[in-house]
Short mmCIF file of all heavy atoms in Angstrom, two decimals:
data_model
loop_
_atom_site.label_atom_id
_atom_site.label_comp_id
_atom_site.label_asym_id
_atom_site.label_seq_id
_atom_site.Cartn_x
_atom_site.Cartn_y
_atom_site.Cartn_z
N GLU V 246 -0.70 12.10 13.87
CA GLU V 246 0.26 12.45 12.81
C GLU V 246 -0.17 11.84 11.49
O GLU V 246 -0.73 10.73 11.48
CB GLU V 246 1.64 11.88 13.19
CG GLU V 246 2.26 12.55 14.42
CD GLU V 246 2.49 14.05 14.18
OE1 GLU V 246 2.97 14.40 13.08
OE2 GLU V 246 2.11 14.82 15.05
N PRO V 247 0.16 12.49 10.37
CA PRO V 247 -0.22 11.92 9.07
C PRO V 247 0.68 10.70 8.71
O PRO V 247 1.84 10.66 9.05
CB PRO V 247 0.06 13.07 8.10
CG PRO V 247 1.05 13.96 8.77
CD PRO V 247 0.80 13.83 10.24
N VAL V 248 0.07 9.76 8.04
CA VAL V 248 0.78 8.59 7.52
C VAL V 248 1.49 9.04 6.22
O VAL V 248 0.89 9.75 5.40
CB VAL V 248 -0.22 7.43 7.23
CG1 VAL V 248 0.46 6.29 6.50
CG2 VAL V 248 -0.85 6.98 8.53
N SER V 249 2.74 8.66 6.01
CA SER V 249 3.42 9.06 4.79
C SER V 249 4.22 7.90 4.18
O SER V 249 3.65 7.14 3.40
CB SER V 249 4.31 10.26 5.06
OG SER V 249 5.25 10.00 6.11
N LEU V 250 5.51 7.77 4.55
CA LEU V 250 6.36 6.80 3.86
C LEU V 250 6.10 5.37 4.33
O LEU V 250 5.74 5.15 5.49
CB LEU V 250 7.83 7.14 4.08
CG LEU V 250 8.30 8.50 3.55
CD1 LEU V 250 9.76 8.76 3.95
CD2 LEU V 250 8.13 8.57 2.03
N ILE V 251 6.34 4.41 3.41
CA ILE V 251 6.23 3.00 3.71
C ILE V 251 7.29 2.60 4.74
O ILE V 251 8.44 2.98 4.60
CB ILE V 251 6.39 2.18 2.41
CG1 ILE V 251 5.23 2.48 1.41
CG2 ILE V 251 6.50 0.68 2.72
CD1 ILE V 251 5.44 1.83 0.04
N ARG V 252 6.89 1.86 5.76
CA ARG V 252 7.81 1.36 6.75
C ARG V 252 8.44 0.03 6.35
O ARG V 252 7.89 -0.66 5.49
CB ARG V 252 7.03 1.17 8.07
CG ARG V 252 6.58 2.48 8.69
CD ARG V 252 5.63 2.22 9.87
NE ARG V 252 5.54 3.40 10.71
CZ ARG V 252 4.78 3.47 11.84
NH1 ARG V 252 4.09 2.41 12.21
NH2 ARG V 252 4.72 4.54 12.55
N GLY V 253 9.58 -0.28 6.98
CA GLY V 253 10.30 -1.53 6.64
C GLY V 253 9.46 -2.76 6.92
O GLY V 253 8.79 -2.86 7.92
N ARG V 254 9.53 -3.67 5.97
CA ARG V 254 8.78 -4.95 6.16
C ARG V 254 9.46 -6.02 5.33
O ARG V 254 9.89 -5.79 4.22
CB ARG V 254 7.33 -4.77 5.75
CG ARG V 254 6.53 -6.06 5.77
CD ARG V 254 5.04 -5.78 5.42
NE ARG V 254 4.17 -6.09 6.53
CZ ARG V 254 3.13 -5.37 6.90
NH1 ARG V 254 2.77 -4.31 6.23
NH2 ARG V 254 2.37 -5.74 7.90
N ALA V 255 9.50 -7.22 5.91
CA ALA V 255 9.95 -8.43 5.15
C ALA V 255 8.80 -9.43 5.22
O ALA V 255 8.13 -9.55 6.22
CB ALA V 255 11.18 -9.06 5.80
N LEU V 256 8.56 -10.06 4.10
CA LEU V 256 7.55 -11.15 4.05
C LEU V 256 8.17 -12.37 3.44
O LEU V 256 9.01 -12.27 2.54
CB LEU V 256 6.33 -10.74 3.22
CG LEU V 256 5.36 -9.69 3.78
CD1 LEU V 256 4.28 -9.43 2.78
CD2 LEU V 256 4.74 -10.17 5.13
N MET V 257 7.78 -13.54 3.92
CA MET V 257 8.20 -14.80 3.32
C MET V 257 7.06 -15.39 2.51
O MET V 257 5.87 -15.23 2.85
CB MET V 257 8.72 -15.80 4.34
CG MET V 257 7.66 -16.60 5.09
SD MET V 257 8.43 -17.83 6.15
CE MET V 257 9.04 -16.84 7.52
N ALA V 258 7.44 -16.04 1.38
CA ALA V 258 6.47 -16.88 0.69
C ALA V 258 6.29 -18.12 1.58
O ALA V 258 7.26 -18.80 1.85
CB ALA V 258 7.01 -17.23 -0.69
N PRO V 259 5.07 -18.37 2.07
CA PRO V 259 4.92 -19.51 3.00
C PRO V 259 5.45 -20.82 2.38
O PRO V 259 5.09 -21.12 1.21
CB PRO V 259 3.39 -19.54 3.22
CG PRO V 259 2.98 -18.11 3.00
CD PRO V 259 3.83 -17.65 1.87
#
Side-chain angles (χ1 to χ4, degrees):
E246 292 299 315
V248 173
S249 57
L250 298 176
I251 295 175
R252 292 172 161 180
R254 175 176 242 142
L256 287 178
M257 81 174 75

